[in-house]
Amino acid sequence: MAMAVSSLLRLFFFFVFFIIFVDGQCLDDQKKFLLELRSEFKFNSSISQILVNWNETGGCCEFKFNNSIPTMNWNETGDCCKWSGIECDGSGHVISLIFPSHGMSGRIGESSALFRLTYLSSLDLSDNDFTTTEIPNQFHRLPNLASLDLSSSGFMGAIPSTLGNLTELVELHLSSNFLTGPIPSFHYCKNLEWIDLSHNNLMGSLSHLHFQGLTNLSLIDLSHNSLNGTIPHHLFVLPSINYLHLSKNQFIGQIKDISIVDSNLFRLDLSGNRIGGPIPNFFFQLHQRLKMPLITPNFSDSIFLLTNNRLTGVIPSSICIASSLSVLDLSFNNLSGSIPPCLVNTRQVLNLRGNKVSGVIPDQFSSECSLQTFDVSNNSLVGEVPMSLGNCKNLLVMNVGNNNFKDTFPCMLSLGLRILVLRSNRFYGDLRCRKGWPNLQILDISSNNFSGRLNLLNISSLRGMVLQSPTQGRLNRSTLTF
């Protein structure tokens, strides 16, 4: 009886392992295509051993029995589904090739064996060396491709328009190459969620056709290119858009106000362009109902980066609509008017540097202030540094230089302060505070009316520099000397 049960168990386990083996074994044609693909590439064996270990020979497996229980030792060189960087489906078709940073070089030709792996769903050749190679036009022969990553690999030339025919495409990463020419239309890629074409040499303008109808698109990064023309309004209201990064291009013109019903956009970066006119009110209506972001699930805050443009007019009161404003950077524009009081509730970074903002800093920093960087330098602000700024216990950087403030030294500031710039104002009085700033690394109080000695400020990190100064850190009316 025991022998019969043992025999049945052995047959059962053999049958299970046989089914698993047959179900997962690489098909012969798939192995052939992979070996042909390997022959097309050059690879640095000192960086990666992955392609070196691909081998046409070898058996699939070996069965051994221990106490009537079968065990199986795989010979990885036999079944290409077991090769490093390869993943197969249950039928033995290759569905994934993942080879980032493996010292690969060479050229992907139009007749490459790659395009015969028609079940391929994911391809990652990022951080390799395909310098002087153009992206081939044959990717439409991979109808199941959902993820394509060719970033940081030296590709040059135009982006093939055939990429826009990949109807299953979810993620496209082509950043940090040498790509030129216009951006093709992707409106057939209805499943597209993430497109990153940043840090290239792309040119031309955008139209409403480029991303029309892409209801799942959550991230567009076209930054650091040479794109021009005006920015299509529909980009701001794509149904799932969370992150829109168009900085460091040559976009021009005025962005007109449009009607917003709902939007999930919480990161907007248009900095480093030539956008003019007033800030449209709808920018700060984009975030009225934030859903859980897809790209940073633990970040429930808004970021607006509009620095280095040609924006004019006042900072609109509609900015107060934006909930959970984390970073607002409007620096280096031509904005005027006063600072809306609600801005003091910005959570991390408030940067209005290099505008024509006037009036006083609102004295409304709350006891829950979490501001880390506060920069209103190079404006036309007057009055005093508000006492409530002392509520910002996390403040690391404060720059109010080149304004018309008239006040004594702001002793109320956070003990964790690292950078303090008060230069070119009308600050006055003795440099004497009851507390010190042990982490302060940069202090600029030049071109003011301070008197006294610097070492009375009790700044331990700068004291050694002061004591070595021939002037003992003494101040005159216009400069601070060490």
Side-chain angles (χ1 to χ4, degrees):
M1 182 69 177
M3 291 182 62
V5 171
S6 176
S7 298
L8 287 173
L9 283 173
R10 292 174 65 180
L11 287 172
F12 172 76
F13 281 111
F14 181 85
F15 177 77
V16 169
F17 276 100
F18 178 79
I19 293 298
I20 293 175
F21 162 69
V22 170
D23 191 48
Q25 187 182 20
C26 175
L27 299 176
D28 288 341
D29 66 331
Q30 303 291 285
K31 180 190 294 185
K32 175 185 176 184
F33 298 152
L34 289 175
L35 292 173
E36 288 181 14
L37 183 61
R38 183 182 70 168
S39 68
E40 298 174 17
F41 294 146
K42 299 176 183 177
F43 47 92
N44 190 336
S45 59
S46 64
I47 297 177
S48 173
Q49 290 288 317
I50 284 185
L51 294 179
V52 176
N53 293 329
W54 285 12
N55 196 317
E56 186 176 11
T57 62
C60 70
C61 53
E62 178 184 4
F63 284 98
K64 292 184 179 180
F65 290 88
N66 295 320
N67 298 322
S68 300
I69 303 298
T71 60
M72 183 163 53
N73 296 327
W74 290 96
N75 183 331
E76 293 190 359
T77 60
D79 184 359
C80 70
C81 290
K82 302 300 179 181
W83 292 348
S84 298
I86 304 296
E87 181 183 352
C88 297
D89 62 14
S91 301
H93 297 106
V94 175
I95 60 172
S96 181
L97 295 176
I98 308 298
F99 303 124
S101 306
H102 286 299
M104 299 171 60
S105 61
R107 180 177 178 272
I108 304 176
E110 300 293 335
S111 59
S112 171
L114 173 67
F115 303 115
R116 284 178 279 172
L117 296 168
T118 55
Y119 288 82
L120 202 61
S121 173
S122 180
L123 175 64
D124 186 348
L125 300 178
S126 62
D127 293 294
N128 285 290
D129 183 11
F130 295 98
T131 305
T132 72
T133 299
E134 295 187 358
I135 298 176
N137 291 301
Q138 302 301 312
F139 278 99
H140 65 281
R141 294 169 55 189
L142 302 177
N144 298 299
L145 198 62
S147 177
L148 176 60
D149 191 344
L150 304 179
S151 57
S152 302
S153 288
F155 286 101
M156 60 178 294
I159 299 176
S161 60
T162 52
L163 291 180
N165 297 326
L166 295 173
T167 57
E168 299 300 315
L169 195 63
V170 175
E171 294 189 12
L172 177 62
H173 304 269
L174 302 179
S175 63
S176 301
N177 283 292
F178 303 100
L179 300 174
T180 58
I183 295 176
S185 173
F186 290 95
H187 68 275
Y188 289 124
C189 304
K190 301 301 183 183
N191 296 310
L192 195 61
E193 296 178 4
W194 194 297
I195 180 168
D196 186 353
L197 309 180
S198 63
H199 294 269
N200 281 289
N201 299 310
L202 299 171
M203 298 174 288
S205 59
L206 296 178
S207 76
H208 68 284
L209 296 176
H210 276 96
F211 305 104
Q212 185 182 40
L214 302 187
T215 58
N216 298 319
L217 195 57
S218 65
L219 179 145
I220 300 175
D221 192 345
L222 308 179
S223 63
H224 294 265
N225 280 288
S226 297
L227 300 171
N228 53 39
T230 57
I231 299 175
H233 291 156
H234 81 281
L235 294 183
F236 300 108
V237 292
L238 287 168
S240 298
I241 195 70
N242 295 148
Y243 184 107
L244 180 58
H245 195 172
L246 305 178
S247 65
K248 302 296 175 63
N249 278 285
Q250 298 175 18
F251 290 113
I252 60 172
Q254 178 177 337
I255 299 176
K256 297 181 180 179
D257 262 322
I258 57 177
S259 176
I260 297 292
V261 177
D262 189 21
S263 174
N264 295 312
L265 185 64
F266 75 98
R267 287 194 177 191
L268 174 64
D269 189 351
L270 305 181
S271 59
N273 283 286
R274 302 174 183 174
I275 301 169
I279 300 175
N281 287 309
F282 81 88
F283 272 9
F284 306 107
Q285 298 170 1
L286 290 171
H287 193 58
Q288 292 186 37
R289 191 178 72 185
L290 175 65
K291 298 179 181 178
M292 186 61 71
L294 298 178
I295 60 175
T296 50
N298 296 322
F299 199 86
S300 54
D301 292 337
S302 302
I303 295 177
F304 293 97
L305 305 176
L306 304 174
T307 183
N308 281 289
N309 278 288
R310 300 175 181 178
L311 298 171
T312 59
V314 301
I315 301 174
S317 58
S318 60
I319 195 171
C320 299
I321 298 174
S323 60
S324 303
L325 190 61
S326 178
V327 176
L328 178 64
D329 192 342
L330 303 177
S331 60
F332 300 106
N333 282 285
N334 292 305
L335 298 170
S336 57
S338 59
I339 300 176
C342 63
L343 285 193
V344 300
N345 295 317
T346 304
R347 294 189 176 184
Q348 292 183 10
V349 176
L350 175 57
N351 191 349
L352 305 179
R353 182 178 186 177
N355 282 283
K356 299 176 181 177
V357 179
S358 58
V360 300
I361 300 175
D363 192 7
Q364 298 183 24
F365 294 89
S366 72
S367 58
E368 298 179 353
C369 175
S370 59
L371 197 62
Q372 297 178 17
T373 297
F374 180 64
D375 191 339
V376 292
S377 61
N378 295 84
N379 280 286
S380 300
L381 295 167
V382 297
E384 301 177 348
V385 176
M387 290 297 296
S388 62
L389 194 57
N391 291 328
C392 302
K393 304 302 182 184
N394 298 320
L395 192 64
L396 302 176
V397 177
M398 175 171 159
N399 187 349
V400 297
N402 293 284
N403 281 284
N404 292 302
F405 292 107
K406 186 176 182 180
D407 198 0
T408 57
F409 192 88
C411 293
M412 84 294 286
L413 295 177
S414 163
L415 293 175
L417 202 65
R418 296 181 182 178
I419 297 175
L420 175 60
V421 180
L422 307 178
R423 69 174 298 149
S424 299
N425 281 283
R426 291 189 288 165
F427 287 98
Y428 62 93
D430 289 339
L431 290 171
R432 186 185 298 271
C433 294
R434 293 183 179 179
K435 65 181 182 181
W437 290 271
N439 300 315
L440 197 62
Q441 299 171 354
I442 296 176
L443 174 64
D444 186 349
I445 58 176
S446 62
S447 299
N448 281 289
N449 296 318
F450 286 118
S451 60
R453 298 166 65 92
L454 181 63
N455 56 3
L456 295 178
L457 280 178
N458 190 24
I459 305 173
S460 58
S461 59
L462 296 180
R463 185 168 298 165
M465 298 172 61
V466 172
L467 293 179
Q468 294 173 10
S469 168
T471 61
Q472 295 290 310
R474 192 174 300 278
L475 301 169
N476 58 33
R477 291 178 61 85
S478 61
T479 60
L480 168 65
T481 57
F482 292 153

